[in-house]
Amino acid sequence: MNLTYPSSLFSPAFSIALAETWDHLAARLHRKMALAASGTCPEKKQKTFSEIDRRENFSSLQPPASSLQPFSHQAVLAEEVVAFLKPQPGKIFFDGTLGGGGHAELLLQAGARVVACDRDPAALAHAKKKLAAFGDRFVCFESNYAEAPFHLVAMGISQVDGILLDLGVSSHQIDTPERGFSFQKEGPLDMRMGRSGRTAADIVNTADLAELVKIFREYGEEPRALTFATRIIRERHHQSITTTLQLASLLAQGMRPGPRHPATKVFQALRIAVNEEINSLESALPQLADMLASQGRFAVITFHSLEDRIVKRFFKKHAVAEIDNPTWSAPKPNPEQLFHPSLPHSVVADAAELANNRRARSARLRMAEKL
Ligand SMILES: C[S@@+](CC[C@H](N)C(=O)[O-])C[C@H]1O[C@@H](n2cnc3c(N)ncnc32)[C@H](O)[C@@H]1O
């Protein structure tokens, strides 16, 4: 069920006053419907959530990681990625999200060549050092992975045997307060993975109400999008919003404690908007699939439903052997088929990995094999 706020019916001032009430009602209704559907007792659920909240708050009280500390990122679903990509001597792989180089290192250890990119110069500098021992079997460059095919072709690489995209941010980026990704650590409201583009502060201080609501709804699936956007616009009349904790506390004001900090989804949404993550993914998938050799393997790790849906639909659309239409007398071969029909599937982390790495909780690996 979709509740749409009838903004055009009222004056702007009254709309803003009404917005919080409207969002509040919509959120309550959604919550009630979800509880009714699951048959869960509200009091019990609230208690469990509060317990989790205490645990999460406790973890946020740990000393903040300094940007000077060594690069820390634990590769997720690493065994599954290696088992699927089957690296071996003579094979060449493209890693479009090099990060700390954890996955790349495993591919290199198996004897393969790895060409990699990342938008983040800090990640590249770290990975270059870490993987230097592999000599010329490892090459990396600074780029959005969506523009990588251009660089690969310029390097004389027109085909690869496997591709890995491990989407999102690295733990190192989140743990570095100066990058502005975390709502738990004070820092400038930046959130750029690369060197250029709008910062989160640019968006928060200049976007109009409609754009903020759209970003929070689409990229954060935030049910209180209108409330938060309205608050931000009101706050901007008094002062610019320039730091992570300033934004986080503005969003948390008056919110009931829950399983997550109230700013979680807004921060995710802003990060996705700042880095144009959805555009990059949508434009990269077909280009990268074109660069896969026959029997080449494509692995994508996603961390939220929005990007997972994009990957799932792309793999599915290009894996069906036949397409049908009610006006046709019989199904026809799919002219857009690229992948083996049997393979596209996904896996999530097992209990052992979940116990070891909290980041793996929301990770999903999707896989496809080129015909
Ligand atoms: C989850 S980390 C990758 C971790 C890596 N697989 C490892 O094992 O250490 C994601 C990395 O992808 C980079 N990244 C995200 N989107 C990107 C894009 N569109 N183009 C290039 N790099 C991107 C981020 O800067 C970050 O370093």
Side-chain angles (χ1 to χ4, degrees):
M1 176 178 178
N2 240 340
L3 280 184
T4 311
Y5 170 59
S7 55
S8 57
L9 297 179
F10 307 109
S11 73
F14 185 60
S15 289
I16 285 184
L18 192 62
E20 298 208 4
T21 318
W22 187 266
D23 259 8
H24 181 67
L25 285 175
R28 271 187 64 180
L29 187 58
H30 278 288
R31 206 168 60 236
K32 276 197 168 169
M33 287 168 67
L35 289 173
S38 67
T40 316
C41 156
E43 290 75 19
K44 264 194 180 164
K45 188 121 190 163
Q46 192 61 43
K47 195 166 169 221
T48 320
F49 280 178
S50 305
E51 284 164 9
I52 302 170
D53 191 39
R54 276 200 293 280
R55 277 208 304 278
E56 298 232 340
N57 284 339
F58 174 73
S59 69
S60 74
L61 293 175
Q62 304 301 313
S66 143
S67 58
L68 298 173
Q69 79 170 24
F71 199 102
S72 63
H73 181 87
Q74 211 177 330
V76 300
L77 293 161
E79 265 178 42
E80 291 82 352
V81 165
V82 172
F84 174 65
L85 291 179
K86 298 192 191 307
Q88 51 186 283
K91 300 264 180 198
I92 177 163
F93 291 86
F94 171 63
D95 180 347
T97 49
L98 180 63
H103 289 108
E105 183 173 34
L106 296 172
L107 302 175
L108 288 159
Q109 279 168 350
R113 281 175 65 201
V114 174
V115 189
C117 77
D118 201 295
R119 303 171 104 170
D120 184 347
L124 286 164
H126 163 79
K128 244 185 205 166
K129 232 168 143 181
K130 170 173 166 166
L131 304 174
F134 295 100
D136 60 8
R137 279 202 290 120
F138 173 66
V139 183
C140 65
F141 55 94
E142 185 178 332
S143 169
N144 184 327
Y145 60 68
E147 285 145 26
F150 168 79
H151 296 283
L152 292 173
V153 170
M155 290 161 81
I157 300 167
S158 55
Q159 274 200 337
V160 292
D161 299 297
I163 294 171
L164 171 65
L165 297 179
D166 176 14
L167 301 174
V169 271
S170 66
S171 305
H172 186 259
Q173 287 166 329
I174 293 177
D175 292 342
T176 306
E178 294 89 324
R179 304 294 299 267
F181 288 104
S182 171
F183 52 79
Q184 294 176 332
K185 298 180 179 94
E186 179 65 319
L189 202 50
D190 190 319
M191 299 198 195
R192 286 172 303 171
M193 293 181 194
R195 301 175 198 246
S196 56
R198 286 196 296 178
T199 64
D202 292 335
I203 294 179
V204 160
N205 289 297
T206 62
D208 63 17
L209 183 71
E211 191 188 354
L212 288 176
V213 171
K214 189 167 185 281
I215 289 172
F216 300 163
R217 279 215 180 115
E218 277 184 19
Y219 299 155
E221 295 175 338
E222 171 59 72
R224 296 161 297 189
L226 190 58
T227 300
F228 288 153
T230 316
R231 263 187 206 189
I232 287 171
I233 300 231
R234 269 204 210 122
E235 181 68 11
R236 268 168 28 185
H237 290 313
H238 305 292
Q239 58 176 338
S240 299
I241 302 167
T242 55
T243 77
T244 48
L245 292 190
Q246 188 188 356
L247 178 60
S249 66
L250 176 69
L251 301 177
Q253 269 166 30
M255 292 288 156
R256 266 197 249 139
R260 290 174 168 180
H261 190 287
T264 306
K265 291 180 172 182
V266 167
F267 269 63
Q268 173 190 297
L270 284 171
R271 192 204 82 209
I272 292 174
V274 163
N275 295 288
E276 299 180 350
E277 292 178 36
I278 301 303
N279 287 349
S280 294
L281 183 61
E282 284 177 333
S283 86
L285 289 172
Q287 295 183 62
L288 292 174
D290 273 352
M291 296 210 70
L292 265 182
S294 176
Q295 315 300 316
R297 293 184 155 207
F298 201 157
V300 186
I301 302 173
T302 64
F303 290 87
H304 56 81
S305 55
L306 186 59
E307 58 191 17
D308 185 54
R309 257 195 315 271
I310 293 169
V311 179
K312 179 179 169 183
R313 284 191 190 143
F314 176 78
F315 282 170
K316 209 168 156 194
K317 176 177 174 195
H318 295 285
V320 283
E322 291 187 327
I323 48 174
D324 206 353
N325 184 310
T327 61
W328 300 343
S329 55
K332 296 180 183 176
N334 178 7
E336 294 187 293
Q337 186 182 9
L338 294 171
F339 304 120
H340 282 285
S342 58
L343 201 79
H345 59 254
S346 71
V347 292
V348 293
D350 61 19
E353 179 166 8
L354 291 176
N356 241 326
N357 187 358
R358 277 167 55 89
R359 247 189 115 254
R361 282 181 311 178
S362 43
R364 179 178 288 277
L365 169 64
R366 291 207 174 266
M367 300 162 274
E369 185 185 20
K370 192 96 178 262
L371 285 173

